[in-house]
Amino acid sequence: MNDYILSCCSTADLTKEHFLSRGISYICFHYNMNGVTYTDDLGESMSFEDFYAAVKDGADVSTSQVTMGEYLEYFRRFLEEGKDILHVCLSSGISGSYGSACLAAKELMEEYPERKLFIVDSLGASSGYGLLMDTLADLRDSGMSITELHDWAEEHKLNVHHWFFSSDLTNYIKGGRISKTAGLVGSVLHICPLLNMDNLGRLIPRQKVRTKNRVIKEIVDKMEQCADGGPDYSGKCYISNSGCYEDARAVADLVEERFKHLNGRVEINSVGTTIGSHTGCGTVALFFFGKPRED
């Protein structure tokens, strides 16, 4: 294994055990619930079950990204050990953490000119970002140098597709993304918005699908249209969910039924507390590799 640090943020939404088993370091975002600040530490400080129960009950939740100062402290300890670092950030399309990491890296490279510190904007989020990290760990373990791995990440990060749907419009209304009137009508008609992440790492509404059963089928149809090899896709597939495991399981079952050559079973994770503070409950996200994402 190459002796450098592969790193990301907790917003890649894999489990602590997954990160440890793959040798991926991570730094945590933060969130505030009803006036109390917590660390987005993969469900350790507060379980995902308790978090989403509180959100469903109307808890006031906000988030804060990793600051430049936190990045300085986090990166410095690896550099002082003589390690180079490849750090991949949450999409700049939804967070300013990439900018903070770049500022920290610039300062530290003046302090440690003999070291390498690469910062990559994942243009991804949640377990799609996690799927990219897991793939980078595979390539690192195959012998790629840090420079080769950085170049591969930049060239292929847009090949990771992110498709989301939500069966609960509460946070869409609360966040002002849809009006109260539209939200009421959508709820009555059982509208489930279907979104994806574009080539700038932004979440873009694509369709309004009526009923959960239809949107589950539609999101798997999108995978068949976009995945490498279509129904012959042989890569990994990850799903994340915000307090709606049964919906995620239904998507996973349909994926496994339709795609016979997957690399292992579909992996289901929880949407972490940072991303979940914005999605609220009822979101299912599907991630896989395919042709480069476009606008």
Side-chain angles (χ1 to χ4, degrees):
M1 183 185 297
N2 281 303
D3 191 23
Y4 55 81
I5 302 298
L6 178 59
S7 170
C8 63
C9 304
S10 58
T11 46
D13 289 351
L14 301 180
T15 65
K16 178 180 180 180
E17 293 74 22
H18 193 141
F19 283 131
L20 290 175
S21 70
R22 299 312 316 273
I24 301 172
S25 300
Y26 60 91
I27 185 170
C28 296
F29 273 55
H30 313 279
Y31 66 98
N32 184 290
M33 177 178 283
N34 295 331
V36 180
T37 298
Y38 298 88
T39 301
D40 177 5
D41 54 7
L42 313 178
E44 287 195 278
S45 297
M46 181 184 297
S47 71
F48 295 125
E49 291 80 7
D50 288 345
F51 175 81
Y52 284 113
V55 169
K56 192 170 185 178
D57 286 342
D60 183 22
V61 187
S62 59
T63 60
S64 57
Q65 65 193 34
V66 181
T67 66
M68 177 183 172
E70 288 172 317
Y71 275 124
L72 285 169
E73 181 180 356
Y74 174 71
F75 292 147
R76 182 175 280 113
R77 63 187 174 94
F78 296 124
L79 296 171
E80 287 180 347
E81 294 172 358
K83 300 288 182 65
D84 296 328
I85 306 167
L86 172 59
H87 180 77
V88 185
C89 289
L90 177 65
S91 172
S92 62
I94 59 175
S95 169
S97 62
Y98 172 67
S100 297
C102 288
L103 289 173
K106 182 178 179 181
E107 181 171 321
L108 289 168
M109 286 300 87
E110 294 176 358
E111 189 176 340
Y112 298 90
E114 74 284 2
R115 299 261 58 88
K116 294 177 182 176
L117 172 49
F118 294 112
I119 308 296
V120 174
D121 180 357
S122 72
L123 298 176
S126 195
S127 297
Y129 172 18
L131 177 56
L132 176 62
M133 294 308 304
D134 196 67
T135 304
L136 293 176
D138 287 339
L139 295 170
R140 175 206 59 198
D141 294 350
S142 74
M144 270 197 184
S145 69
I146 188 171
T147 301
E148 291 171 329
L149 195 63
H150 166 261
D151 293 345
W152 191 96
E154 291 289 5
E155 291 170 8
H156 293 90
K157 60 190 181 184
L158 286 176
N159 290 96
V160 183
H161 284 249
H162 301 56
W163 284 93
F164 301 74
F165 72 78
S166 181
S167 59
D168 185 337
L169 302 181
T170 303
N171 271 50
Y172 287 79
I173 299 169
K174 189 175 181 181
R177 284 168 285 180
I178 61 175
S179 68
K180 289 184 179 180
T181 301
L184 177 61
V185 172
S187 296
V188 170
L189 295 178
H190 303 290
I191 297 296
C192 299
L194 181 63
L195 311 88
N196 79 337
M197 189 160 268
D198 71 1
N199 60 338
L200 298 179
R202 304 169 301 184
L203 284 177
I204 306 295
R206 300 298 185 184
Q207 294 176 230
K208 297 176 182 178
V209 183
R210 191 171 179 183
T211 78
K212 188 189 297 183
N213 287 339
R214 288 182 181 176
V215 81
I216 287 172
K217 179 181 182 300
E218 184 64 30
I219 200 171
V220 179
D221 287 346
K222 293 297 185 186
M223 179 173 173
E224 186 167 336
Q225 294 166 19
C226 301
D228 279 337
D232 294 323
Y233 177 67
S234 59
K236 295 179 181 179
C237 178
Y238 285 1
I239 290 175
S240 57
N241 77 100
S242 58
C244 53
Y245 177 83
E246 293 304 318
D247 295 341
R249 185 69 257 170
V251 175
D253 289 345
L254 188 54
V255 168
E256 290 175 352
E257 176 185 324
R258 193 177 301 184
F259 297 86
K260 304 297 187 182
H261 307 291
L262 289 175
N263 182 355
R265 301 290 301 275
V266 175
E267 181 172 318
I268 301 177
N269 295 293
S270 289
V271 174
T273 50
T274 295
I275 305 297
S277 294
H278 299 282
T279 67
C281 301
T283 293
V284 175
L286 176 63
F287 310 104
F288 53 89
F289 277 92
K291 58 187 177 184
R293 292 175 353 229
E294 298 178 350
D295 184 22

